[in-house]
Amino acid sequence: MPPTPLRFATFLAPNLYPIYALVARAVGERLGVATELIVGTDYAVLESDGIDAAFVCGLVYVELTRQGNRRYEPLAAPVLQGPRYEGRPIYFSDVIVRRDSPFRTLADLRGRSWCFNEPLSHSGHSVVRYRLTRLGETSGYFGREIAAGWHERSIRLVCEGEIDASAIDSHVLAVALRDDPTLEKRLRIIDTFGPSTIQPLIVARQLSMEVRQAMRGAVLDLHERAEEAAILKRGFVRRFVTVADGDYDDIRAMRDSSVYRFA
């Protein structure tokens, strides 16, 4: 039997919390155990035995494996709604600026201000480093670079004109636009980075194979039940699919080949 309660943690965007809560609840119902979902504020908690499953950025998972942490394996990941996702567990980073700004391309942002959510974000940080490296840049492309903490704050800073541009997780941006339709009149997308393999739900290997398989089954079945499917649909998720370690080799390759350094 799994531990009671099964402890889940999310380190991802707050506006997607209903999806994470749905997954934790469904797993508990399938296994017949209590579940707890905490909002993670320190990745060090993933070094302990206290977290049974976690929603993390693909880059965080890659960094864990690079550092020799084999406590976790990818369990499942979402497939998002929309033709550009091609029915695969991928996402993009959309570069946003104020709609009334003069910027039309990434080249227009040289010397301008830029914010990213945090250094262990692939969509907000690592994929940006990769694009700038491909352009032959090593540092100092932007005139000012700041860490905003969350994608939602980056969106707000751009909207308010405090920062010129930022790269936003396309899933997070879609939900932000849903929750505040006025954003569409205030923001404009001028570039897109990706696709990249989307963030996984990782699970502790210390749980038995039987428990891990039951957890995966609960997640993969979500879209087949009306109430759960409605929550997924509102969060722009079609379904969850199985992912494995090798699916994150694209993020590994981008991370390892990037030389650009933010200030």
Side-chain angles (χ1 to χ4, degrees):
M1 290 293 293
T4 302
L6 268 175
R7 298 194 73 215
F8 287 74
T10 174
F11 293 87
L12 300 179
N15 71 355
L16 297 177
Y17 185 89
I19 300 295
Y20 316 140
L22 170 66
V23 169
R25 183 172 69 252
V27 168
E29 290 173 355
R30 176 67 63 90
L31 272 64
V33 300
T35 56
E36 176 186 1
L37 175 61
I38 67 168
V39 176
T41 58
D42 186 346
Y43 293 114
V45 72
L46 296 175
E47 301 291 340
S48 72
D49 293 328
I51 300 298
D52 300 300
F55 304 90
V56 297
C57 179
L59 180 62
V60 170
Y61 170 71
V62 165
E63 291 292 348
L64 286 173
T65 60
R66 285 186 69 254
Q67 295 166 14
N69 184 330
R70 296 290 177 175
R71 293 179 184 274
Y72 301 94
E73 65 181 10
L75 186 79
V79 173
L80 302 181
Q81 299 173 17
R84 70 169 167 170
Y85 300 108
E86 301 177 342
R88 299 189 291 141
I90 58 174
Y91 73 128
F92 297 83
S93 296
D94 291 326
V95 178
I96 61 168
V97 298
R98 276 176 61 102
R99 184 167 288 278
D100 59 3
S101 77
F103 312 120
R104 294 293 183 270
T105 68
L106 184 63
D108 295 334
L109 297 175
R110 182 183 292 276
R112 310 301 302 194
S113 58
W114 178 274
C115 65
F116 55 90
N117 49 341
E118 59 130 340
L120 281 175
S121 166
H122 176 70
S123 58
H125 190 268
S126 183
V127 75
V128 182
R129 293 182 58 227
Y130 177 70
R131 171 64 73 87
L132 292 174
T133 296
R134 294 287 299 271
L135 294 175
E137 303 293 334
T138 57
S139 65
Y141 187 84
F142 303 109
R144 180 162 64 104
E145 302 165 342
I146 69 166
W150 297 100
H151 277 303
E152 291 95 321
R153 182 163 181 253
S154 295
I155 293 171
R156 186 170 68 252
L157 290 172
V158 173
C159 276
E160 294 172 353
E162 296 184 34
I163 292 293
D164 291 316
S166 184
I168 307 297
D169 176 323
S170 60
H171 191 193
V172 175
L173 183 59
V175 173
L177 289 167
R178 179 204 71 195
D179 292 343
D180 183 0
T182 69
L183 289 178
E184 189 150 7
K185 296 181 179 180
R186 300 163 67 192
L187 296 175
R188 184 160 37 84
I189 296 172
I190 64 168
D191 204 339
T192 295
F193 305 156
S196 306
T197 306
I198 201 166
Q199 304 94 336
L201 168 62
I202 59 174
V203 63
R205 296 176 187 271
Q206 68 183 13
L207 298 175
S208 71
M209 179 65 72
E210 179 183 9
V211 167
R212 282 179 280 157
Q213 288 177 342
M215 292 173 70
R216 178 179 285 114
V219 177
L220 299 188
D221 292 349
L222 282 172
H223 67 288
E224 298 178 357
R225 300 191 294 274
E227 181 179 347
E228 288 83 351
I231 296 173
L232 293 180
K233 183 177 180 180
R234 177 165 172 74
F236 301 106
V237 175
R238 289 177 57 185
R239 65 184 186 278
F240 279 81
V241 295
T242 297
V243 288
D245 179 82
D247 291 311
Y248 293 89
D249 285 346
D250 62 329
I251 293 178
R252 288 187 176 95
M254 283 186 263
R255 182 231 178 265
D256 293 344
S257 64
S258 297
V259 298
Y260 185 87
R261 290 292 181 267
F262 282 93

